[in-house]
Amino acid sequence: LLERSLDLVAMLVAITKAGGVYVPLDSRAPAARLQAVLDDTRPALLVTDQPHTLTGVPALTVGELAAAAGETSDPHVGIHPEQLAYVMYTSGSTGIPKGIGITHTDVAALALDHCWHPDAHQRVLMHSAHSFDAATYELWVPLLSGARIVLAPPGDLDTRTLQQTITDHHVTAAFLTATLFNLMVEEAVDALGTMREIWSGGEAMSATAVRRLVSRYPGLTVRNGYGPTETTTFAVTHTVRSEDVERGSIPIGTPMGNMRVLVLDDTLAPVPAGVAGELYVAGVGLARGYLNRPALTAERFVADPYGPVGSRMYRTGDVVRRRADGVLEYLGRADEQVKVRGFRIELGEIESVLAAQPGVGQVAVIAREDRPGDKRLTAYLVTTPGSTPTLADLRTGLARTLPDYMVPTAFVALDALPLTPNG
């Protein structure tokens, strides 16, 4: 439970080197959510730099660690490649966040992929929350290649702070969620132009924003990166070309060096090029599974009928189409999971928490995009007879359990939910 700082970087490296497993906690998340993570992982120690109300685990502050520093030589701890390196929590459809276990092999496969051009990734910006999987790229890709991390200031960052950090410290590469990428192009395009390579993802990239950036800085490389946390941040990537911008749609691309992708139908049979199917990812980089959730692990990490005996593939729930040239185009979701401002959200988790609020009967939550690129969560609810929960009550109740990016922007009261003939 640390703010973005040199202490955070040192701590993650130290835990890894000592053979431990780190579990990043988002200081912006409600205490109830953080407590649920602690109860699920049962950690040996909570390392923090801030006041908290979490229980059930001994806590140690960074200041206490610095005062107690002793032996500084290599501990020579033997670590198996398939040992967990970290457990990262994402939204869960049952109302309980799920922990994804990533191994040392997974992290090494990401960091050693041939896609990271050494000239471009000399100074990589670290600005994401360390509980967001983009931090895996920001931390380990530069460190494991001998490059440098440029650490953004702690706390929430605006475009002006990012612009100053990028220009003052000569950042050469960074990952920006699609929403942040669009905002930076709008408000700080010159800062982006000083870099050599920009990765974006989390949601569909805006061809308009890319066109504006590359027309001004044609030598800048822009790459679309796709991958859920279960595939260690990135599984598929695409270097944006002029024809993509002209077409008005940025594809997600082709698999990274250690990955394989399959586009399958409901019977797990491959679909032809040009036909929509569900995306499955196989190869090095697949997570071990979900911590303490064997049934969910078995549901999402399934046997790979097209790989070596005993190999697995991850069912992403994303619908894609493979072009004749092998490039994948993203079409949408096969389930109710959405991405808003780069955060992956299970709508069922919000519905579960909202339905538990006093005076709330039926609920439905959707992600509306009334304007291109402006996706917002909207909650529709039917109150119980005689109850009239206020907007403030609902927001306060949700904020006790959900992080701010999962609290709907709008709440709409209905007399009844519109239902299909099948209910």
Side-chain angles (χ1 to χ4, degrees), residues 10-253:
M11 184 55 57
L12 297 180
V13 174
I15 292 171
T16 305
K17 195 163 189 170
V21 181
Y22 64 86
V23 181
L25 300 178
D26 186 354
S27 59
R28 300 168 301 175
R33 189 178 184 86
L34 298 181
Q35 189 65 57
V37 171
L38 291 185
D39 294 343
D40 194 36
T41 55
R42 291 178 294 172
L45 187 67
L46 173 66
V47 181
T48 186
D49 58 3
Q50 56 202 263
H52 64 87
T53 59
L54 303 176
T55 61
V57 56
L60 194 63
T61 68
V62 171
E64 290 174 314
L65 277 171
E71 180 61 46
T72 59
S73 61
D74 188 338
H76 299 291
V77 175
I79 300 173
H80 193 278
E82 296 306 318
Q83 181 176 321
L84 287 183
Y86 64 82
V87 177
M88 190 166 287
Y89 278 76
T90 65
S91 176
S93 58
T94 61
I96 302 172
K98 54 181 182 285
I100 301 164
I102 302 295
T103 68
H104 287 264
T105 292
D106 297 331
V107 176
L110 173 71
L112 299 177
D113 195 274
H114 57 73
C115 68
W116 314 116
H117 196 286
D119 289 340
H121 286 81
Q122 290 180 1
R123 292 181 294 278
V124 176
L125 177 65
M126 185 173 182
H127 71 98
S128 301
H130 66 300
S131 56
F132 181 37
D133 64 352
T136 304
Y137 152 73
E138 296 173 347
L139 178 73
W140 294 115
V141 167
L143 287 188
L144 294 180
S145 64
R148 179 179 299 175
I149 291 172
V150 175
L151 203 63
D156 295 331
L157 301 169
D158 56 22
T159 55
R160 179 178 297 181
T161 304
L162 284 173
Q163 179 179 17
Q164 184 173 352
T165 303
I166 291 168
T167 54
D168 287 356
H169 300 282
H170 308 291
V171 170
T172 60
F175 171 82
L176 307 173
T177 64
T179 301
L180 182 56
F181 174 83
N182 297 341
L183 191 62
M184 289 291 288
V185 170
E186 187 70 28
E187 299 182 0
V189 67
D190 290 337
L192 300 185
T194 65
M195 290 191 281
R196 299 172 190 170
E197 189 165 307
I198 297 174
W199 283 61
S200 187
E203 296 170 278
M205 290 187 72
S206 165
T208 301
V210 174
R211 182 184 297 110
R212 180 181 174 189
L213 178 62
V214 298
S215 64
R216 189 160 179 167
Y217 299 101
L220 177 64
T221 298
V222 179
R223 299 191 69 151
N224 195 7
Y226 163 89
T229 306
E230 288 87 345
T231 63
T232 317
T233 309
F234 296 120
V236 176
T237 182
H238 178 75
T239 301
V240 180
R241 300 179 173 87
S242 58
E243 54 265 33
D244 302 319
V245 177
E246 293 168 4
R247 192 184 297 115
S249 176
I250 311 297
I252 59 175

Side-chain angles (χ1 to χ4, degrees), residues 20 43 57 109 112 120-121 162 239 259-260 269 300 356 374 379 396 407-408 413 423:
V57 56
L112 299 177
H121 286 81
L162 284 173
T239 301
M259 294 289 193
R260 292 187 300 111
R300 306 301 296 189
D374 185 20
T396 301
V407 176

